[in-house]
Amino acid sequence: EVTATTLRLRLMRGARQTLLTVFNDTPRDQTAGIKLPQGFRRATDIHSGKEQHLREAVLELTVPYQDVVVLQLE
């Protein structure tokens, strides 16, 4: 349902919200374009509160080495 070239993804749909976890299990920072399912127009980092830019259902995201980012999708 979601795809990226260098990062590991997990989409979790709930009754009230959808979360996307983005894992970087490599020893260096990774940047990828993440293709989201149609219908999502916003992605917010749940830890920082910052909204991530979506363009045509693609999210450009950099995840630091050996780290994870959790996004709330709307």
Side-chain angles (χ1 to χ4, degrees):
E1 217 177 353
V2 291
T3 58
T5 54
T6 57
L7 297 167
R8 293 178 45 216
L9 310 170
R10 173 78 192 267
L11 185 69
M12 295 167 280
R13 292 183 186 263
R16 295 182 184 237
Q17 67 180 355
T18 298
L19 295 177
L20 174 65
T21 53
V22 185
F23 299 91
N24 178 4
D25 58 359
T26 69
R28 62 187 157 178
D29 294 357
Q30 294 287 333
T31 300
I34 301 169
K35 176 80 169 133
L36 299 175
Q38 291 296 322
F40 292 111
R41 61 191 185 286
R42 288 181 12 161
T44 305
D45 184 312
I46 67 165
H47 296 290
S48 70
K50 292 183 181 178
E51 189 171 328
Q52 303 294 317
H53 180 69
L54 287 175
R55 194 172 110 207
E56 298 179 18
V58 175
L59 169 67
E60 288 290 327
L61 188 66
T62 299
V63 180
Y65 70 96
Q66 298 180 342
D67 204 351
V68 63
V69 173
V70 181
L71 302 165
Q72 180 177 341
L73 302 179
E74 296 176 42

